[in-house]
Amino acid sequence: MTGAGLVVRDLSVGYGPVRALRRVSLEVPEGTVVTVLGGNGAGKSTLLRAISRTLAFHGGAVTEGTVTLDGHRLDGLAPDRVVAAGVCQVPEGRQVFARMTVADNLRAGALGGSRTGRSAALERVHELFPVLAERAAQRAGLLSGGEQQMLAVGRALMAAPRVLLLDEPSLGLAPLMAQRIADTVREINAQGTSVLLVEQNAALALRLATRAYVLEVGEVTLSGPAAELAASDEVRRRYLGVVDEDAAADADRVTGRTLTRWKG
């Protein structure tokens, strides 16, 4: 049975006069993977920034709504207090500290934790990503794109979050590496960490998640069990690249008649 987990209620966000989110509500029950789908500009990254309280760094602000973790308000906290409360974000673009070593990047993710907690977190990260142990002394900027994504996720896990916010973890990665990251997300969740996943690779996201939300122009337009959304004609057409076969056949027939008339 899942607990209350992370709850977003009627969240609206603006960047100056521009409204980016409009009364968005969603839930990430304890122990689950929940995904948010949507095209570019839908507001997915803005949503994660609003939850992690990093919006101000990007010129945005929450104008209404609440964010809670097990009933405790997060929306009035400083970003570091949100991390301390158990919610940590991995931003889009593998934003590692390129000039710092892999080991120092990981240590940066555990600032404020106890020595025992840091040791346990580091052991977990090295089990998930053995390459980070092998390259502990290497500068992060010299890692491959996939390895940098591993480091970004590992750095967030050093804070031992209860909820991990993942923004486009497969972006720019080769399919094999993207699948490795997906497998790691499953393992992280199996170890007890809830995940809110923003991902443009809808097929991958829907395989990972138990529940999904579709965000369009700052509003939730669809939500439900991930398996149901994956079977939805609208989601299949718009996000999975699956063409309605009957409609395609009709289009082919129309095209064929047009070509016949043109040839005649």
Side-chain angles (χ1 to χ4, degrees), residues 36-53:
V36 179
L37 308 178
N40 289 329
K44 305 185 302 299
S45 294
T46 292
L47 173 63
L48 296 192
R49 292 168 185 165
I51 295 170
S52 64
R53 298 287 294 164

Side-chain angles (χ1 to χ4, degrees), residues 35-203:
T35 189
V36 179
L37 308 178
N40 289 329
K44 305 185 302 299
S45 294
T46 292
L47 173 63
L48 296 192
R49 292 168 185 165
I51 295 170
S52 64
R53 298 287 294 164
T54 58
L55 262 177
F57 304 144
H58 303 273
V62 172
T63 56
E64 66 175 319
T66 61
V67 180
T68 60
L69 182 63
D70 292 343
H72 300 290
R73 294 278 293 267
L74 301 181
D75 46 275
L77 300 180
D80 63 316
R81 300 314 303 163
V82 173
V83 173
V87 179
C88 196
Q89 180 180 356
V90 181
E92 178 186 348
R94 302 185 290 276
Q95 296 180 25
V96 299
F97 301 119
R99 294 179 177 274
M100 291 168 53
T101 66
V102 168
D104 285 341
N105 267 268
L106 293 177
R107 275 192 285 270
L111 293 176
S114 67
R115 179 175 296 182
T116 302
R118 288 195 299 270
S119 177
L122 184 61
E123 183 177 351
R124 179 192 187 191
V125 169
H126 284 168
E127 286 178 355
L128 287 167
F129 306 113
V131 69
L132 299 183
E134 296 166 8
R135 305 194 179 180
Q138 184 173 329
R139 284 190 179 185
L142 300 178
L143 299 177
S144 70
E147 290 164 349
Q148 288 186 19
Q149 185 63 70
M150 293 176 186
L151 179 56
V153 174
R155 186 177 60 195
L157 291 176
M158 290 296 293
R162 292 179 51 206
V163 183
L164 187 65
L165 311 178
L166 283 176
D167 195 352
E168 303 283 7
S170 76
L171 183 67
L173 300 182
L176 183 60
M177 181 56 71
Q179 187 56 53
R180 287 183 61 186
I181 294 294
D183 292 341
T184 302
V185 172
R186 284 195 187 91
E187 181 62 23
I188 289 168
N189 180 241
Q191 293 174 355
T193 302
S194 304
V195 179
L196 179 57
L197 172 66
V198 160
E199 178 59 68
Q200 283 202 0
N201 185 335

